Amino acid sequence: MKEFDIAYPIRHTPSEAELRQAAGRALGVRPERVAAVRIVRRSLDARGEILYRYRIQAAAPGETLEDYILPPYKDVRGAEPVIVIGGGPAGMFASLRLLMEGRRPVILERGKDVHARKADIAALNQQQRVNPESNYCFGEGGAGTFSDGKLFTRSSKRGDLREVLRQLVAFGASESILTDAHPHIGSDALPRIVERIRQCIVEHGGEYHFGEKVKGLRPFSDGLHRAWRVSCESGASYKARAVILATGHSSRDIYRYFASQGWPLGCKGFALGVRAEHPQSLINQIQYHGKFQPGMPAAEYALVEQVEGRGVFSFCMCPGGILVPSVTAPGEVVLNGMSNSMRNSPWANAGIVCSVEPGDVPDYDRYGVFALLEFQHSVEQAMYAFTASLRAPAQRLVDFCRKKDSQGLPRSSYQPGAVNAPLYELLPGFVYERLRVAFAAFDRKMKGYYTNDALVLGVESRTSSPVRIPRDPQTMCVPGLEGLYPCGEGAGYAGGITSSALDGILVAAAATTR
Ligand SMILES: Cc1cc2nc3c(=O)[nH]c(=O)nc-3n(C[C@H](O)[C@H](O)[C@H](O)COP(=O)(O)OP(=O)(O)OC[C@H]3O[C@@H](n4cnc5c(N)ncnc54)[C@H](O)[C@@H]3O)c2cc1C
């Protein structure tokens, strides 16, 4: 087997014959003697002529190309249950792995199924009505359902990404996610995929319970084994020897519950800042060096700058996307971004955030492990206090950096609306200063980025969890709490859809040993 790279102009999709020719050249054989050829990666290169670069695998005569085979799902009716709290990427992929292992997932999800959830999200955007159980973070598919659906993970140590991507394709995602260097699905396609995952789990004997907000977890002995009784606000309770806790970074009540039980928790650094929204045409102009043409993918960007020893970086960039209110309770303003599969809105948005560590907020020391959670919440409340609504305090970018009030705001994709505000005053001083320095530096990396045609809006604060639930690296359980498996972004072991899904798989494999 040989791996090699080839490149073609962006509008040209290589044919099978062209791939065979290239493979023949690489292997030193005639094209018809190439046993197999396939594209394993495709990445856009806009440095000179706009190209797609392809990584190709080719098999010489007598060889084969090894394929990844997804393990089959078993029928788990009557099998030992595992309770999975939270139906986000971590909970869903943990459940799918449980099916593969012959265990019966029982998913308890506080939110609604994806269709009912859509109505709550419409009410949030249009009437500013916040349903604390059904919003951009809570409900079927978790925070990943109405998102850009980017599928990157920086670490390959977390597990085999193919298990996640192959399943997403099997449930309806485009095959391009298997090869694209920066794969994404889009919020128009994700709900259907999430629904099919549920149907698969239920068809194989698993259970889904919506509207089941978990409020208590009690260990008990069933005579032979230690087990868990999980109680919900509805009054229902469920029992199992293993419980996977995959409640996401916004489930503050779960952290409070842990603290009330005296169970271990840790404070964890996270990142906070603003959402920057530029015209997508400007980002295309910059990233394609003036060579953008209709039909080319909306340009992305990733920026990072060290300021005072702390990283300031772009987060969850959404090309051709829109801004959304990702609040989970009344009285707060929180922004995030999402895109559809075509990424064809006129805007490009990204979180521009700086790392925040406990040492940055000494005034919050009194909150112990909740220091950063309280800090996070206080900034979200400060934004709300200014607008007294879900509208976001906003400024033009250059004005923000110069501490100058803006004269009118450009149009924004944020449906609840933007309010002209001294955002430079509303953000914590150290956050503002780091962002200010970074924005100017970003213009050196992307000439034209630093412009008053861009809007900055507050606040991007749900980048990751500000609390960690410790887990034993051997058993994957909370130390001292046998059978309780913290998992995904909320437990502090993942950030993003794919890493949360991979963590779910890892934890499910551990849970089946009980
Ligand atoms: C608008 C938006 C856009 C995003 N875009 C991207 C992107 O493009 N790419 C990317 O990689 N990441 C993106 N993210 C982040 C990504 O969605 C999360 O990292 C990921 O969903 C975390 O997965 P999780 O399963 O650990 O937690 P979550 O997805 O947060 O799921 C947790 C689930 O637990 C449920 N739950 C919480 N508490 C309880 C309880 N007490 N009882 C029962 N159920 C409970 C919640 O309702 C929720 O469904 C985005 C997030 C948002 C909000």
Side-chain angles (χ1 to χ4, degrees):
M1 195 271 286
K2 190 150 190 169
E3 270 197 0
F4 61 95
D5 295 329
I6 52 174
Y8 288 101
I10 185 165
R11 291 185 189 286
H12 180 82
T13 306
S15 65
E16 172 77 19
E18 284 171 316
L19 292 178
R20 282 191 161 271
Q21 286 233 322
R25 275 196 303 277
L27 293 166
V29 300
R30 288 199 309 278
E32 59 276 19
R33 298 208 58 228
V34 174
V37 60
R38 69 180 170 205
I39 297 169
V40 288
R41 194 174 165 83
R42 183 180 79 155
S43 51
L44 187 69
D45 184 348
R47 286 171 297 183
E49 187 192 354
I50 307 205
L51 301 169
Y52 270 130
R53 294 195 175 278
Y54 296 89
R55 164 71 42 96
I56 307 289
Q57 283 181 348
E63 286 182 347
T64 51
L65 290 180
E66 205 181 298
D67 205 7
Y68 173 80
I69 311 283
L70 205 55
Y73 306 122
K74 297 183 180 148
D75 193 306
V76 295
R77 268 164 269 258
E80 180 75 28
V82 174
I83 294 174
V84 179
I85 308 176
M92 285 188 300
F93 281 86
S95 301
L96 291 168
R97 175 45 92 95
L98 290 171
L99 292 185
M100 294 171 185
E101 304 278 352
R103 291 297 186 92
R104 183 161 58 88
V106 177
I107 299 170
L108 307 179
E109 167 55 56
R110 74 194 287 167
K112 300 180 184 174
D113 73 71
V114 74
H115 295 290
R117 191 178 170 194
K118 274 185 188 167
D120 293 316
I121 282 179
L124 184 58
N125 280 305
Q126 290 156 20
Q127 292 138 36
Q128 307 201 7
R129 209 167 58 221
V130 182
N131 181 337
E133 309 307 334
S134 179
N135 45 56
Y136 277 100
C137 292
F138 296 159
E140 184 172 16
T145 307
F146 300 97
S147 75
D148 178 52
K150 276 177 287 296
L151 301 173
F152 322 154
T153 181
R154 291 194 184 89
S155 165
S156 55
K157 287 189 212 125
R158 292 176 195 268
D160 194 338
L161 192 56
R162 291 175 302 179
E163 182 168 336
V164 177
L165 298 183
R166 287 292 173 108
Q167 291 186 95
L168 287 169
V169 170
F171 292 116
S174 157
E175 287 213 354
S176 63
I177 66 168
L178 301 176
T179 49
D180 274 351
H182 290 177
H184 100 109
I185 296 181
S187 54
D188 47 340
L190 280 158
R192 184 80 188 109
I193 293 171
V194 160
E195 185 182 24
R196 286 189 181 144
I197 291 177
R198 176 195 355 127
Q199 285 163 352
C200 170
I201 291 170
V202 172
E203 277 163 18
H204 286 83
E207 294 174 26
Y208 251 89
H209 301 272
F210 291 111
E212 286 292 44
K213 179 177 176 184
V214 169
K215 64 162 194 182
L217 296 146
R218 286 255 167 261
F220 71 100
S221 171
D222 66 2
L224 283 174
H225 308 280
R226 270 168 68 90
W228 288 87
R229 180 174 290 108
V230 176
S231 52
C232 298
E233 271 190 5
S234 67
S237 74
Y238 301 81
K239 283 186 281 185
R241 274 161 45 198
V243 175
I244 295 176
L245 185 70
T247 44
H249 60 28
S250 290
S251 191
R252 291 170 172 161
D253 38 359
I254 288 289
Y255 302 132
R256 302 272 178 212
Y257 179 75
F258 261 62
S260 74
Q261 301 302 301
W263 293 347
L265 280 177
C267 189
K268 179 184 145 296
F270 76 118
L272 183 141
V274 292
R275 273 264 149 188
E277 185 170 62
H278 288 74
Q280 181 64 50
S281 54
L282 174 66
I283 301 299
N284 291 340
Q285 172 81 11
I286 300 172
Q287 298 298 70
Y288 282 102
H289 309 290
K291 286 177 276 184
F292 177 81
Q293 286 180 19
M296 291 179 176
E300 306 169 24
Y301 66 81
L303 291 164
V304 60
E305 182 70 20
Q306 289 296 315
V307 183
E308 298 167 0
R310 288 286 157 76
V312 180
F313 52 94
S314 57
F315 172 81
C316 189
M317 196 261 151
C318 295
I322 59 165
L323 293 165
V324 298
S326 52
V327 293
T328 47
E332 51 192 39
V333 172
V334 184
L335 271 72
N336 209 312
M338 73 180 208
S339 320
N340 64 26
S341 51
M342 298 301 291
R343 287 181 163 168
N344 55 1
S345 94
W347 289 281
N349 74 71
I352 302 295
V353 294
C354 75
S355 319
V356 180
E357 296 295 333
D360 290 319
V361 291
D363 290 353
Y364 289 80
D365 279 353
R366 64 184 186 279
Y367 296 108
V369 292
F370 293 133
L372 290 184
L373 189 144
E374 291 292 345
F375 167 73
Q376 177 194 46
H377 197 206
S378 72
V379 182
E380 295 168 357
Q381 288 174 315
M383 299 294 145
Y384 182 87
F386 189 86
T387 65
S389 69
L390 280 189
R391 290 177 305 155
Q395 275 189 279
R396 290 179 182 267
L397 171 54
V398 177
D399 294 341
F400 170 74
C401 292
R402 292 187 180 157
K403 294 194 174 179
K404 189 171 158 244
D405 293 339
S406 292
Q407 298 300 308
L409 299 179
R411 275 184 66 228
S412 168
S413 67
Y414 184 63
Q415 224 181 325
V419 175
N420 201 339
L423 191 53
Y424 57 87
E425 275 177 15
L426 295 176
L427 285 169
F430 72 94
V431 172
Y432 169 73
E433 280 307 322
R434 289 175 195 168
L435 295 185
R436 189 181 61 78
V437 174
F439 271 124
F442 289 164
D443 201 60
R444 290 196 288 277
K445 299 172 184 177
M446 279 179 69
K447 197 92 206 100
Y449 184 89
Y450 184 64
T451 167
N452 251 347
D453 290 342
L455 194 62
V456 287
L457 307 94
V459 58
E460 164 72 82
S461 53
R462 306 277 176 99
T463 49
S464 70
S465 171
V467 177
R468 185 189 299 281
I469 303 181
R471 77 183 177 200
D472 181 300
Q474 302 301 320
T475 64
M476 306 298 266
C477 295
V478 181
L481 298 175
E482 200 190 322
L484 182 58
Y485 296 85
C487 170
E489 189 158 37
Y493 297 97
I497 295 169
T498 39
S499 63
S500 302
L502 286 169
D503 199 53
I505 291 169
L506 197 70
V507 161
T512 55
T513 60
R514 272 184 65 79

